[in-house]
Each structure stands twice: as structure tokens, then as C-alpha cells.
Amino acid sequence: MEKVTLTLAEAYTLARQVLRGNGFSEAHACVLARNVTDGERDGCPSHGLWRLLGIVNTLRKGKVSPDAEPTITDHAPAIVKADAGGGFSLLAFERALPLLIEKARHNGIAALAINRCVHFSALFADVEPLTQAGLVGLATTPSHAWVAPAGGSAPLFGTNPIAFGWPRGDKSPFIFDMATSAAARGEIQLHQRAGKALPEGWGIDSKGNPTTDAQAVLNGAMLTFGGYKGSALAAMVELLAGPLIGDMTSMESLAWDDGAGGLPYGGELVLALDPARFLGTDAVAHLARAETLFAAMQRQGARLPGERRYQARQHAGEYGITITRSLYEEIAALDCKVPGA
Amino acid sequence: MEKVTLTLAEAYTLARQVLRGNGFSEAHACVLARNVTDGERDGCPSHGLWRLLGIVNTLRKGKVSPDAEPTITDHAPAIVKADAGGGFSLLAFERALPLLIEKARHNGIAALAINRCVHFSALFADVEPLTQAGLVGLATTPSHAWVAPAGGSAPLFGTNPIAFGWPRGDKSPFIFDMATSAAARGEIQLHQRAGKALPEGWGIDSKGNPTTDAQAVLNGAMLTFGGYKGSALAAMVELLAGPLIGDMTSMESLAWDDGAGGLPYGGELVLALDPARFLGTDAVAHLARAETLFAAMQRQGARLPGERRYQARQHAGEYGITITRSLYEEIAALDCKVPGA
């Protein structure tokens, strides 16, 4: 398959140009372009440049605002609210971040509730900046109702990711970002396109029976990871980043989409905790306990989450990123001034 | 097998008497007795009256203070600290709870860090009181290093439970309390005593090979639930309820125990979030979204976590609790004034 290699700057410029050309404001285009370039750079093509297709599709379907200016509110001593106004989550996050950090440092812990946002991006991007500020971060968001609860047989939960980040000073942070579904929806779609059977345990058909047929799962329901425990966590995500912050559950998001095939719409909850505020002058000694834990993990051959990502990041900084020519051409073809043309 | 039935009041009185007789202060004895009685009442014998054996054993080994008075500190606007002083966690939790609730209501979110506590109790008991105050609760604690990280082969993490509670007004709260290990350590011990093979995936032997032999797993390592995702969560628990709050990881706890066979020693982190503070006047409408989610779960046959527990609770209120005569006699025999006699 023919490939195209781009420097990170070229990839960013392409993405930004396509987004601007489709009507996104400069502020949204920049933060979106950076996000998809970072995903590609970090070896996560599922959150990389191909996301531009879905972003533009969502815009053309009228399911996202191209230029909403987020409204940031100092809602309570330890709560920041960010109303994304129907735009993508990323700009709202970026604009709310300084106040979230300030509140976490002052209070020890603080929460950011992003509302009315369209969501496509990996939560990794929303906890990494917290770790860079020396904070512990936790982020979660519902999606569309695609996943059956344990003991049930029909879609109800979203893929409901949970991301967690731990700061490590000069070292790359400890960050995981995982769906509470057994697999990402994109992985099931890739199996379906390739005509490949799914691994056991990823989903059920529309009658609730286990199946390895990708199309049957897309018509039926995905399953959570880890059985009833993963299902409990998926429910927790619905509650924390839905009703708690006054926003939609995954089934409400899918109903709102009304068959348009757009991206999930609703809320995101981000928590920030400040080790320095918890620990005071003992922070250095206690953070060293974490390093001892990480070293013990690595000594027995367990990877730290994020390791592969940081390796890919370093490689991409030196050698650029490579995508298929057909994806490159699909992206370039998005660059028109007339949506839907 | 011969059985003994006790009213809840009788069970509580027995437990309290045994604890007082072994030297626990009135304050500790009361809260411990209530906790093990509640566990038995709720149909969780693994956190019920038989725990008295481990509690007294830990005291006789010199691994818990019978009378430490917790020190509660208003550490930061959104952080309460409770130094358990080497006593069990429960009294520290009970004493810190009012300030945690006050801070959550004022700030929207608050954290309680319990330090230097010995831990045996289910975290269910530490999130239920938060739901009764109308708050969302999250609690977590490391234990002893018994569980291998995904990709590793030796014990490093504890069974590291995560408990989450959601308030439901007049209804019983939505609460889950789950180990991040594939099974509870007690379940493996029960299989070992009964000479039964373990289900696949619970553990590995001391060479890192999968095994269904309970003794081999007790000598080797338990596994997390849900593969690398459960392992990531287990690591998160180590970090949040260990270094973040200036306390031990599970491997430090096991090293501190130094072969005595005592209960885990270290910290616990409890978060409380106030829906009323997040939502203001819209709280009722948004909390109704959660009820819609629960109804949709139940309609498709998925249980809400906690359901069985509340059924058992109701039954025990009417008919009392039943334990084996041998357990009853073991507990009664603990009632001596001379520790170690």
C-alpha cells in the first residue's frame, strides 16, 4: 500500500487547513489539529489524522458548532464549569485548564465539568497537561449507547473511557486511558471492514447471544471489559460525567444524534489532585515511593502504561509520521469551502 | 452442620464484648462490632462476624492499636486528614466524616486521607454514609502485595478495592465495592481449605505460570480482573491511596507486616462530591436522568450493584443472622481478658 510521510509540522498544517476550510474557527481548528497530530505522533492512529473525516462529517451533519466560544465559570470553590456551547470538548478544556489547576493547588482537589461538548478525542490529552503541572488527573466521559450492561442484552452504556495520570517530574508521566468496553468501537469496525472474526467476549448479537461476527455486534451490543466489574465502572462513568454534572447519559446522546451518525454529545468530568497540597514538605519523599513501585513493575517485565506511546512520540519527532496515500487523499479532499460539496 | 441464629442486637453485643474483652477501647469496639455485624447482616460473611478472628489475631500480634484516638486535621480547603495512629480505619473514618461532608458541600468536592490505619473492612461501609448525606462517594485502599501486575509474574499490588456510591433519595443507594484482583484473597483461601480447583485466571504459581491450584496461587501471585486494564486500575489505587496521601504501597505494607500475618496497614482515600453543589436548582431534574439509567438497566435484566445486599439486609432485620456453631464457638472463645492466653 502506498504511503505518505509527513513531518509533524506538515501534518498539523494539513489538519488545520482542512478544518479552517470547512469553517472551524481559528481557535477550534488549532486545538483540533494539534490533537489529531498528537494522536498520530503517539502511535495511536485510531485517534490520529483519520479522525478528521469524522470531525468534518459531524460538522456537515450539523452536529457540532464550528466556532462556539466556551464559557468558563468559577462555579464553586472546587468546581470549574466549561460550557462548550455545542463545540468540540478540546477548546473548552484548554480554556478551563488554568482555573482548574489554580483550584487544585489551592484546595488540594478540584473538578472541571465540561458541558454541551461534542467528543471524539482520547482522554489522554486531557490528563497529560495536568501531570505537566505536577498534578494527578482523572478524566472520564460517556459516549453513545453501544455497550450492554453485564446481565443485560441491549446497548445502554457508552465505551466510557477512564484516564488517569500521575506526574513524574522530569520523566514521562504514568498515564492510562482505557475504554471500559472490551474493545474500542473502531476496532470492531476495522474487523467488520476486513471481514475478520472478533475475539470472544467483545460483543453480543441483537438477540443477546455471544458472537464473533463484527456486523452482528455493531447491530447488537458491545460488552464491557472484565464482566460485571467493568460494567459497574461503565455505570459509574455514566453517572459522574452525566447526571452529576447535568449532562447526557450515553443513551440520551444517541437519541440526540437521531441516526445522523455524529459523534457523542454531552459532558466530561476531569478531577485534579495536587500531591504538593496533600503532602506539603514531605512530597519528594512520598513521590519517591511511587517511583519504587514503577521500578518494581518494570523489574518483573510489566510495562508502565504510556511507554509505547512515548517511544512512538520520540520516533515521530525524528522521522515524522506515515499514513496511507488513500487516507492522505481523503483528508486533502475534505479541504473545500462549501460544506457538503 | 449445626447453626446458630442471632438477632442483629445479639450479634452486635457478642462482637462488642469479644472486642472489649481483648482490650479494644469502647469507641473502637463499638465501630468494629457494628461493621462486622453489618457485613453479616448484608449477606457478606466474608466481611462478617468471622472477621473477629482476624481482628483479634492482629491485635495479639501487636499489629494494631486497641485504643488509638484518631487525630482529625483540617488540612486544606478540600482535604481532611485523619491519622488513625495505628488503629483500625473505621473509627478514623467515623470521626472525620462530618468534616468531609461539610467540605464537600461547601466546595463541591473534597477528599479524606486516612493515614496509619489497619484495614480489614469493606469499603462499602465508607461510601454508604456519604450517599446517606446525599453525596457521591469514592473510596479506595491498597492492601498487602499479593497480586501480580499484568505482564509481570510476582506479587506487587494489593487486592486494591474501589467502591463507588450514588445517592438515590428514599431508595437504597447504588453502591459497588469491588476488588481489582480477579477474586478476593479469602475466596482463594476457601478453595484451598476445601481442596477445590480455582477458576482459570485467578492466579499464577511462583514461577509465573497460570494455575488453578489454590495453594500454588497463595505461594505465587493472584491476578487482576480484566487483564491489563484491571492492572492499570490496581496501580492507580496504589498511587492514590499510597504516595499521594503519604502512605504505604501494598509492598511496603507487606514488608511492614514482616511475616506476622496481620492485616494490611497504610492509607485510604475517600472522595466526596456533592450533586447539589454541582447542579444547583437543576439537581432534581438531573438526578432523574440517573433513575432513567437504572430503570433501563433493570428492564433488560441487569442487576443494580448492591441489590442482593439490601435484600439480605431486610431479611436479617426480620429473621436475624445465622452462622455455624463452630464459628460461634471460635468467636466466643476469643473472649478473654488476657491477650495471647
Side-chain angles (χ1 to χ4, degrees):
Chain A
M1 206 181 310
E2 209 184 336
K3 306 273 188 180
V4 177
T5 296
L6 304 170
T7 65
L8 294 175
E10 286 166 349
Y12 173 79
T13 301
L14 169 69
R16 185 168 151 277
Q17 182 179 320
V18 162
L19 293 161
R20 288 292 282 144
N22 278 276
F24 281 100
S25 67
E26 181 68 14
H28 277 286
C30 288
V31 72
L32 289 166
R34 174 147 318 284
N35 184 269
V36 297
T37 305
D38 286 355
E40 198 71 46
R41 174 198 69 183
D42 287 0
C44 304
S46 64
H47 282 94
L49 293 173
W50 88 272
R51 285 281 178 170
L52 291 166
L53 309 178
I55 290 169
V56 170
N57 180 55
T58 299
L59 178 64
R60 290 179 182 176
K61 292 271 172 65
K63 291 293 187 181
V64 69
S65 163
D67 56 5
E69 281 292 305
T71 309
I72 310 304
T73 313
D74 187 341
H75 180 80
I79 300 175
V80 185
K81 286 206 174 193
D83 183 346
F88 282 113
S89 63
L90 291 165
L91 187 61
F93 176 79
E94 185 178 271
R95 295 277 174 84
L97 183 61
L99 186 55
L100 175 63
I101 291 172
E102 184 188 315
K103 283 182 178 293
R105 288 190 177 141
H106 178 72
N107 296 300
I109 184 170
L112 163 62
I114 305 177
N115 287 116
R116 300 203 300 149
C117 69
V118 183
H119 216 290
F120 76 92
S121 47
L123 296 177
F124 198 101
D126 297 348
V127 298
E128 189 171 13
L130 292 169
T131 63
Q132 285 162 345
L135 303 178
V136 174
L138 255 170
T140 195
T141 183
S143 65
H144 280 330
W146 288 321
V147 179
S153 56
L156 181 59
F157 300 147
T159 50
N160 294 10
I162 299 173
F164 170 78
W166 180 267
R168 298 184 65 198
D170 297 341
K171 295 180 186 159
S172 297
F174 174 102
I175 300 182
F176 67 78
D177 173 9
M178 61 187 217
T180 52
S181 50
R185 190 159 184 87
E187 285 185 78
I188 294 174
Q189 288 165 331
L190 288 176
H191 278 76
Q192 186 255 331
R193 280 194 220 173
K196 278 172 61 181
L198 302 176
E200 304 268 341
W202 283 21
I204 53 180
D205 65 22
S206 57
K207 291 178 177 156
N209 299 312
T211 180
T212 59
D213 183 88
Q215 188 60 55
V217 169
L218 293 172
N219 297 340
M222 298 162 65
L223 292 174
T224 61
F225 91 99
Y228 72 92
K229 292 186 180 182
S231 180
L233 292 169
M236 177 182 79
V237 171
E238 294 287 333
L239 295 166
L240 287 177
L244 175 68
I245 62 170
D247 222 313
M248 292 194 198
T249 59
S250 294
M251 67 179 174
E252 292 171 323
S253 171
L254 193 62
W256 180 88
D257 186 63
D258 197 20
L263 290 159
Y265 179 58
E268 176 182 340
L269 178 68
V270 184
L271 303 185
L273 299 92
D274 184 7
R277 196 73 173 98
F278 272 86
L279 297 167
T281 51
D282 297 331
V284 171
H286 289 300
L287 293 177
R289 291 170 185 250
E291 296 303 319
T292 303
L293 180 76
F294 299 147
M297 287 176 70
Q298 292 178 308
R299 237 187 343 264
Q300 57 172 281
R303 260 179 218 276
L304 300 189
E307 271 183 27
R308 264 179 281 210
R309 183 184 279 262
Y310 302 128
Q311 285 162 9
R313 184 179 293 188
Q314 192 177 347
H315 185 270
E318 291 173 36
Y319 302 103
I321 53 96
T322 300
I323 60 174
T324 63
R325 175 157 296 280
S326 66
L327 176 59
Y328 179 83
E329 286 172 358
E330 270 191 275
I331 292 168
L334 293 172
D335 185 11
C336 60
K337 296 279 183 282
V338 189
Chain B
M1 208 181 306
E2 209 184 339
K3 305 275 188 180
V4 177
T5 295
L6 304 170
T7 66
L8 295 176
E10 286 166 349
Y12 172 80
T13 302
L14 170 68
R16 186 169 149 278
Q17 182 179 322
V18 162
L19 293 162
R20 290 289 283 143
N22 278 276
F24 282 100
S25 67
E26 181 68 14
H28 276 285
C30 287
V31 72
L32 290 166
R34 174 147 317 286
N35 182 269
V36 297
T37 306
D38 286 356
E40 199 71 46
R41 172 199 70 183
D42 287 1
C44 305
S46 63
H47 283 94
L49 294 173
W50 87 272
R51 286 281 178 169
L52 291 166
L53 308 179
I55 291 169
V56 170
N57 180 54
T58 299
L59 178 65
R60 292 180 182 176
K61 292 271 172 62
K63 291 292 185 180
V64 69
S65 162
D67 55 5
E69 281 292 305
T71 309
I72 311 303
T73 312
D74 187 342
H75 180 80
I79 302 175
V80 185
K81 286 207 173 190
D83 182 345
F88 281 114
S89 63
L90 291 165
L91 187 61
F93 175 80
E94 185 178 89
R95 296 276 174 85
L97 183 62
L99 186 56
L100 175 63
I101 291 173
E102 184 188 315
K103 284 183 179 292
R105 288 191 177 139
H106 179 72
N107 297 300
I109 184 170
L112 164 61
I114 305 176
N115 288 115
R116 300 204 298 151
C117 68
V118 182
H119 217 290
F120 76 93
S121 47
L123 295 178
F124 198 102
D126 297 348
V127 298
E128 189 171 15
L130 292 169
T131 64
Q132 285 162 345
L135 304 178
V136 174
L138 256 169
T140 195
T141 183
S143 64
H144 279 328
W146 288 320
V147 179
S153 57
L156 180 60
F157 301 147
T159 50
N160 294 11
I162 299 173
F164 171 78
W166 180 267
R168 298 183 66 200
D170 296 341
K171 294 180 186 159
S172 296
F174 174 103
I175 300 182
F176 66 76
D177 174 8
M178 60 188 218
T180 53
S181 51
R185 190 159 183 88
E187 285 185 78
I188 293 173
Q189 289 164 331
L190 287 175
H191 278 76
Q192 186 254 333
R193 279 194 221 174
K196 281 172 60 182
L198 301 177
E200 305 268 340
W202 283 19
I204 53 181
D205 65 22
S206 57
K207 291 178 177 156
N209 299 312
T211 179
T212 59
D213 183 87
Q215 189 59 54
V217 169
L218 293 172
N219 296 341
M222 297 163 67
L223 291 173
T224 62
F225 90 99
Y228 73 92
K229 292 186 180 183
S231 180
L233 291 169
M236 177 182 78
V237 171
E238 294 287 332
L239 295 167
L240 287 178
L244 176 68
I245 62 170
D247 222 314
M248 292 194 197
T249 58
S250 293
M251 67 179 173
E252 291 170 323
S253 171
L254 193 62
W256 180 86
D257 186 62
D258 197 20
L263 289 158
Y265 179 61
E268 176 183 339
L269 178 69
V270 184
L271 303 185
L273 299 92
D274 183 7
R277 196 73 172 99
F278 272 86
L279 297 167
T281 52
D282 297 332
V284 172
H286 289 300
L287 294 177
R289 292 170 185 251
E291 295 304 318
T292 302
L293 179 77
F294 299 147
M297 287 176 70
Q298 291 178 308
R299 236 184 349 261
Q300 58 173 282
R303 259 179 220 275
L304 301 188
E307 271 183 28
R308 265 179 279 210
R309 182 184 280 262
Y310 302 128
Q311 286 162 10
R313 185 179 294 189
Q314 193 178 347
H315 185 273
E318 291 173 39
Y319 303 104
I321 52 98
T322 300
I323 59 174
T324 63
R325 175 157 299 278
S326 66
L327 175 59
Y328 179 84
E329 285 172 0
E330 272 190 275
I331 292 169
L334 294 172
D335 186 11
C336 59
K337 296 277 182 283
V338 188

